[in-house]
Amino acid sequence: MLCQQLPLSAGMSGIRPTRRSLITGAGALSLAACSRRSGAPDGLLRAAISGEPDSLDPLKGQFAVSALMYKQLHAPLTEYGPAGGLAPGLAEGWFSEDGRLWTFRLRSGLRWSDGASLTADDIVWTARRAVDPRTGFADLGDFFAVSGARAALRGEIAPEDIGVSAPDAFTVVFRFDQPVGNFPVLMREFYPLPRHAVEAQPEDWIRPEHWVSAGPYTLTGARALSYELTRNANFHAADSVTIEQVRVDVIEDAATRARLFRAGDLDLADRPPGDQIGFLRERLGDQLHAYPAPILTYLKVNCLRPHLADPRVRRALSQAIDRTFLNAQFFNGEAAETLTAIPADTLVGEADPDGARAALAAAGFNEENPLRLSLRASSGERERLAVSIGEDLRRAGVVCEIISSYPLDLHQAVDGGDYDLALARFDRGLKADPDFMVQPFAIDGFADDHGWSGAERDAFDQLVMTARGELDIERRSELHRQAEARLLNAQAVIPLIHERAYWMISGRVAAPTSLQPQLWRDLGLE
């Protein structure tokens, strides 16, 4: 299904460090030395990503860096338009009368990178593979409502019996148990797979020597912490792709990415260190680009903990946090402090530790019986952010222990419910609609791990479900805002900061100014 953005802290884009990943800086510097000697070859884009993809199979990968790679290597059913909206992809058109039956019409003459024909059968086969418990992924993602999908994943029916069919070679029909009004929008990150290649090499089809895809680039090389991409002549819009080759280096350390870019060894890299934004703006000038983005940093609250089950306690914790200081100290003052999940022009106001202390006292916590909490975060920059939050909570009388760990350990702790608070972050990439900021917290959402329950939760889920079936965009957005109000009234999560997306883009690269440069097919080299 669609690749989910990581729900936890910024460091979650990689895997638990191994000896190989611990030498990332040295390896990157070696690459830099080679680049300095030889210069930047014509037609080669030198890009850096912040972690290793967990899989290049889009039915298995979850990491944000994996989603970025999919945009280059695979072709979705629908596409992101020039301003981030909806545009044709493999499908040239689609329609639905009620949101329960969506019909997509494919372009004619579609081909895989090896020249084989790409037909509706490949798309149906991919959808069935996604819900097959032997080959699929446990999170149904945006296939949650396809008729029979859940039953197939549980092994109760055959994958062939789900509600996806191909009346002919150019038509795909999706049938749903409940209306899904924005399904074409969701299909911007549904990537059909080449059945003939996957069946020939079930485990190794993602290796360069077996690689077949339909995207703007193909995978022609893969080494430790480095990938080579080559323009796919069979991509349906190949004439618009001007960069012939891309070298992608995995550089997990943000400061190292920034140093290599400043040295001229990279053309494109995202997520420079947040606390260096001002310095980099001085040094890089117009090569440092900032974009509004659907990126939320927030606190997960384990509502199943007895001492956090009371909404008054959760609201008091939010009241105690100095978001203005966090923005200034860790985001150079360029992010937006927030009390909401959906970006809004709401005034946050100052932190009120005395008011938070009084609210906690009303809930039964005081100096003799203080509220004791642990706050989990991944190590590094996010740990420093957590320490600052912990100090805010202590000023309100909370005894707060900071627990830092590797990203995967943090994932496992949250998945197992072994946390009070967890510093979390998700980045919805190019998905800027309000839908994508609320849906993660609903049933089937990747951030639905907070244990919130009760009448308010039921009303929240009902509103999100109703929004999913709404065909009208404005009405759908309004329903999501009503759902968000329920989420925030219960303070089931604690929003902190809406981050901006930062990219370092060299003078060699011609990139759109209104959209993050995640679609490398739209870039050019000067």
Side-chain angles (χ1 to χ4, degrees):
M1 278 66 58
L2 305 193
C3 177
Q4 303 295 350
Q5 305 303 310
L6 282 178
L8 292 171
S9 60
M12 292 293 184
S13 57
I15 61 173
R16 180 176 183 145
T18 61
R19 183 179 182 275
R20 187 161 64 106
S21 62
L22 288 173
I23 63 172
T24 301
L29 292 173
S30 175
L31 287 169
C34 293
S35 177
R36 278 193 292 270
R37 286 196 296 269
S38 60
D42 292 340
L44 174 68
L45 175 70
R46 302 165 301 166
I49 57 178
S50 59
E52 288 187 83
D54 51 335
S55 177
L56 293 180
D57 182 340
L59 293 186
K60 297 181 179 179
Q62 294 187 82
F63 290 176
V65 289
S66 301
L68 181 59
M69 291 292 284
Y70 299 156
K71 288 180 174 65
Q72 325 316 325
L73 292 167
H74 299 283
L77 200 55
T78 61
E79 262 294 2
Y80 287 94
L86 182 62
L90 295 176
E92 62 182 3
W94 48 89
F95 67 90
S96 177
E97 294 181 354
D98 59 2
R100 290 181 178 271
L101 197 72
W102 279 99
T103 300
F104 292 80
R105 184 70 178 173
L106 301 185
R107 300 172 184 267
S108 61
L110 291 174
R111 295 194 175 276
W112 295 104
S113 56
D114 64 354
S117 295
L118 191 167
T119 70
D121 287 335
D122 288 297
I123 295 168
V124 172
W125 179 83
T126 302
R128 291 172 177 172
R129 184 174 185 262
V131 300
D132 189 330
R134 299 168 299 177
T135 57
F137 184 62
D139 184 352
L140 280 175
D142 295 315
F143 275 89
F144 66 94
V146 170
S147 180
R150 288 188 177 91
L153 195 61
R154 293 193 298 263
E156 297 171 358
I157 66 172
E160 292 74 18
D161 294 333
I162 68 170
V164 184
S165 60
D168 58 56
F170 299 100
T171 307
V172 184
V173 177
F174 293 87
R175 187 177 72 255
F176 300 95
D177 293 328
Q178 61 194 52
V180 183
N182 65 340
F183 189 66
V185 173
L186 303 179
M187 291 298 95
R188 293 179 302 185
E189 294 189 12
F190 168 62
Y191 303 101
L193 302 181
R195 178 177 184 175
H196 65 289
V198 177
E199 289 185 335
Q201 300 287 340
E203 301 300 326
D204 294 335
W205 75 272
I206 57 176
R207 296 175 62 87
E209 60 267 30
H210 303 304
W211 184 269
V212 177
S213 64
Y217 293 94
T218 62
L219 181 71
T220 51
R223 297 182 299 277
L225 305 176
S226 183
Y227 301 90
E228 295 174 6
L229 313 185
T230 301
R231 179 178 171 273
N232 175 15
N234 286 324
F235 176 52
H236 66 80
D239 290 346
S240 67
V241 180
T242 62
I243 297 178
E244 289 293 330
Q245 290 186 307
V246 183
R247 189 194 74 204
V248 185
D249 295 325
V250 177
I251 305 173
E252 294 181 353
D253 181 66
T256 301
R257 290 196 302 277
R259 285 198 302 272
L260 291 173
F261 183 88
R262 290 180 59 211
D265 299 309
L266 295 171
D267 300 308
L268 185 68
D270 71 338
R271 292 184 61 192
D275 56 2
Q276 291 186 22
I277 294 299
F279 167 79
L280 291 173
R281 195 175 294 288
E282 292 178 1
R283 295 296 188 274
L284 298 178
D286 60 7
Q287 293 187 80
L288 179 65
H289 297 252
Y291 301 86
I295 306 174
L296 177 66
T297 287
Y298 67 104
L299 287 180
K300 288 185 181 291
V301 184
N302 188 349
C303 300
L304 293 176
R305 298 287 207 210
H307 49 290
L308 292 171
D310 188 339
R312 294 177 299 173
V313 173
R314 304 194 293 261
R315 294 189 200 107
L317 297 178
S318 177
Q319 190 176 3
I321 298 171
D322 189 346
R323 293 165 173 82
T324 302
F325 177 81
L326 299 181
N327 186 13
Q329 186 73 15
F330 298 97
F331 301 96
N332 197 50
E334 297 189 18
E337 306 104 57
T338 187
L339 299 172
T340 63
I342 300 173
D345 296 328
T346 306
L347 294 177
V348 171
E350 297 181 359
D352 184 7
D354 293 335
R357 186 186 294 269
L360 290 174
F365 297 100
N366 49 45
E367 291 185 4
E368 290 72 30
N369 178 38
L371 175 62
R372 299 179 181 274
L373 298 174
S374 63
L375 170 54
R376 289 187 176 271
S378 58
S379 55
E381 185 178 358
R382 304 301 277 193
E383 179 183 1
R384 294 191 290 275
L385 181 60
V387 168
S388 182
I389 294 170
E391 288 299 320
D392 288 341
L393 298 180
R394 291 185 187 103
R395 279 191 283 273
V398 178
V399 177
C400 185
E401 176 189 12
I402 307 298
I403 302 176
S404 64
S405 62
Y406 290 125
L408 272 186
D409 293 334
L410 177 54
H411 262 299
Q412 292 169 358
V414 171
D415 287 345
D418 183 20
Y419 76 103
D420 291 324
L421 304 175
L423 182 59
R425 176 188 189 272
F426 62 68
D427 180 353
R428 302 313 313 265
L430 300 179
K431 301 173 181 176
D433 301 351
D435 317 32
F436 297 106
M437 304 306 289
V438 175
Q439 287 180 347
F441 302 111
I443 290 176
D444 296 316
F446 61 78
D448 180 25
D449 47 18
H450 37 69
W452 177 37
S453 62
E456 195 84 332
R457 170 64 196 262
D458 294 341
F460 168 79
D461 286 330
Q462 184 58 53
L463 283 164
V464 173
M465 184 175 296
T466 302
R468 283 171 172 168
E470 179 57 59
L471 293 173
D472 182 79
I473 296 176
E474 292 186 3
R475 175 60 179 159
R476 187 165 64 239
S477 295
E478 175 57 28
L479 287 167
H480 277 112
R481 293 185 186 281
Q482 292 178 23
E484 181 197 40
R486 299 279 187 166
L487 177 77
L488 299 176
N489 183 59
Q491 204 69 75
V493 297
I494 301 176
L496 300 173
I497 297 287
H498 278 121
E499 300 181 35
R500 303 185 80 188
Y502 290 94
W503 286 80
M504 296 173 287
I505 307 174
S506 78
R508 294 183 67 224
V509 179
T513 58
S514 60
L515 192 68
Q516 293 184 56
Q518 292 192 15
L519 303 173
W520 300 345
R521 66 180 194 225
D522 293 337
L523 305 182
L525 290 176
E526 299 178 347

